[in-house]
Amino acid sequence: MLLISCPNCGSRDETEFHYGGQAHVAYPENPHELTDREWAEFLFYRDNTKGSFAERWLHSTGCRQWFNMLRDTVTYDIQAVYPMGTPRPDAAGQRTADTGTASTAADSTTTGSAAPDISGTSTSATSISSTPAPEGATK
Amino acid sequence: MAETAAPATSYEKNLSLRVSPAAQLRADFETGSVRGVVELSEVAFLTMVGLRINRTSDAGERIVSITGGLPAACGDVSDHGDTSVLWLGPEEFLVVAPREAHESLGGDLIQALREALGDGAGQVVDLSANRTTFELRGPRARAVLEKGCSLDLHPRVLKAGTALSTEIGNIPVVLWKTGDESYRLFPRASFADFLGRWLLDAMREYASPEVP
Ligand SMILES: [Zn+2]
């Protein structure tokens, strides 16, 4: 069971959440100009990252709000929780939420030794829970 | 539709024919309650209104003038007389009021909220039939809930006057701690039978003397 820190509600069981797939997959600016293949890639093609992966989650049993989460697909370590619409918090802060698919292309090639760049800037699990944790929510 | 002017008699008859979602468990709640230890009952037909509103908008402030407040953060409850507002989300709230506040019994709460919302962005929805209310109280109430709720219910964490939307017995429930040893649980109507039986099962061991 994962314990996920909802930005609104604090730490809750994984069963209160629903998974929303890869984050930062922007809707194409001009969908009519896409070829069938590009459209299919937007709809169905997602990264299969080993390591740090940015994904969307919904706190469906709690506040019913979406948020983004950076999670290691190997260790299940939750490295960052951040609001929808904000860029992925990576080391240099350079990788913004650019349009189109495969915005995390660099990551998808990383291997198990990856994710060295997280600890520097992004919020760690402990600092997340220090954002105003609601009174009464679990610690 | 509002002016169909049904005779008061059939109106009252309709009300008397209402069946609450856990009515079939009333006798079981009686026999399953352990007096002075842990007691369970259904509080039927409370008036509940779902609010979708930005607290700081103009319409939000108009609604605050009716409800006496809108809670700011997860867990918060704002009380105003016998009406309470529970925080469900950043822009989503649940108003809980006595059954007499419902328009079917002559109350005007929902109408007042609708008028306060006006043409502002948001929603005022009568949800009185969406959920029912269980009251669980007694020194063992926390122990019963802990069997199926992974929140930290210890009083140093969960204070009286806190309401949280969570899971109990694997179903979604709004849990409101109303006093040091009393809780209100709001399961959706279709889950009421399940949760009622689940609670009775969890309470059962406290009817027997504690084994040292
Ligand atoms: Zn939440």
Side-chain angles (χ1 to χ4, degrees):
Chain A
M1 177 82 76
L2 287 176
L3 270 181
I4 297 176
S5 273
C6 168
N8 290 308
C9 308
S11 195
R12 298 290 182 91
D13 278 0
E14 175 189 355
T15 51
E16 293 194 6
F17 296 84
H18 275 95
Y19 185 65
Q22 181 176 351
H24 309 304
V25 181
Y27 191 78
E29 273 191 38
N30 295 304
H32 299 294
E33 293 173 7
L34 298 188
T35 65
D36 282 355
R37 179 175 180 85
E38 286 167 333
W39 182 244
E41 284 180 356
F42 163 70
L43 287 181
F44 305 118
Y45 285 49
R46 295 294 181 264
D47 295 340
N48 185 19
T49 304
K50 184 176 182 184
S52 267
F53 189 51
E55 53 200 14
R56 305 180 299 174
W57 286 81
L58 169 69
H59 190 193
S60 38
T61 311
C63 58
R64 310 209 287 177
Q65 303 296 304
W66 286 93
F67 57 91
N68 287 329
M69 193 161 101
L70 204 58
R71 182 180 62 95
D72 191 302
T73 57
V74 179
T75 64
Y76 282 76
D77 183 32
I78 297 170
Q79 296 155 329
V81 173
Y82 56 104
M84 302 298 286
T86 56
R88 174 180 168 142
D90 268 343
Q94 288 302 312
R95 192 175 296 118
T96 52
D98 40 5
T99 56
T101 58
S103 64
T104 55
D107 268 341
S108 57
T109 60
T110 55
T111 54
S113 64
D117 39 7
I118 306 304
S119 52
T121 50
S122 69
T123 39
S124 69
T126 44
S127 63
I128 291 159
S129 54
S130 73
T131 55
E135 192 172 319
T138 51
K139 58 178 167 36
Chain B
M1 157 178 134
E3 293 303 317
T4 45
T9 47
S10 80
Y11 189 64
E12 278 155 17
K13 190 176 156 208
N14 286 345
L15 284 180
S16 70
L17 288 174
R18 289 197 293 186
V19 178
S20 66
Q24 72 282 11
L25 294 176
R26 193 171 302 148
D28 294 314
F29 285 179
E30 278 292 315
T31 52
S33 289
V34 189
R35 300 291 155 218
V37 179
V38 55
E39 299 172 34
L40 176 63
S41 57
E42 183 190 21
V43 186
F45 309 126
L46 288 186
T47 301
M48 298 190 205
V49 192
L51 294 180
R52 286 269 188 152
I53 190 74
N54 182 337
R55 296 171 61 243
T56 55
S57 67
D58 288 348
E61 282 164 16
R62 290 198 298 273
I63 282 181
V64 166
S65 71
I66 306 286
T67 62
L70 286 174
C74 179
D76 288 355
V77 177
S78 72
D79 294 303
H80 180 65
D82 49 14
T83 302
S84 301
V85 188
L86 281 56
W87 186 98
L88 294 186
E91 298 191 350
E92 185 176 11
F93 310 91
L94 183 69
V95 183
V96 181
R99 68 171 83 175
E100 293 76 26
H102 195 271
E103 54 203 31
S104 64
L105 290 168
D108 63 352
L109 173 70
I110 301 172
Q111 190 56 33
L113 288 170
R114 273 196 202 114
E115 280 163 17
L117 176 66
D119 55 2
Q123 271 183 347
V124 173
V125 184
D126 178 6
L127 297 180
S128 306
N130 182 30
R131 301 172 181 273
T132 190
T133 306
F134 287 161
E135 242 170 29
L136 187 72
R137 63 208 162 269
R140 288 296 194 177
R142 173 161 70 96
V144 168
L145 293 174
E146 279 171 344
K147 296 180 184 185
C149 178
S150 60
L151 292 177
D152 190 347
L153 302 181
H154 193 281
R156 82 178 150 241
V157 175
L158 186 72
K159 311 268 192 254
T162 305
L164 295 167
S165 183
T166 186
E167 287 177 357
I168 295 173
N170 297 320
I171 64 154
V173 167
V174 179
L175 174 68
W176 179 12
K177 184 170 181 182
T178 49
D180 289 337
E181 290 179 346
S182 61
Y183 301 83
R184 275 186 170 183
L185 290 79
F186 300 111
R188 292 209 170 83
S190 54
F191 286 117
D193 186 81
F194 171 83
L195 184 67
R197 292 180 196 279
W198 187 93
L199 286 166
L200 284 171
D201 184 47
M203 290 158 59
R204 216 169 127 193
E205 65 167 299
Y206 303 110
S208 310
E210 200 166 340
V211 179

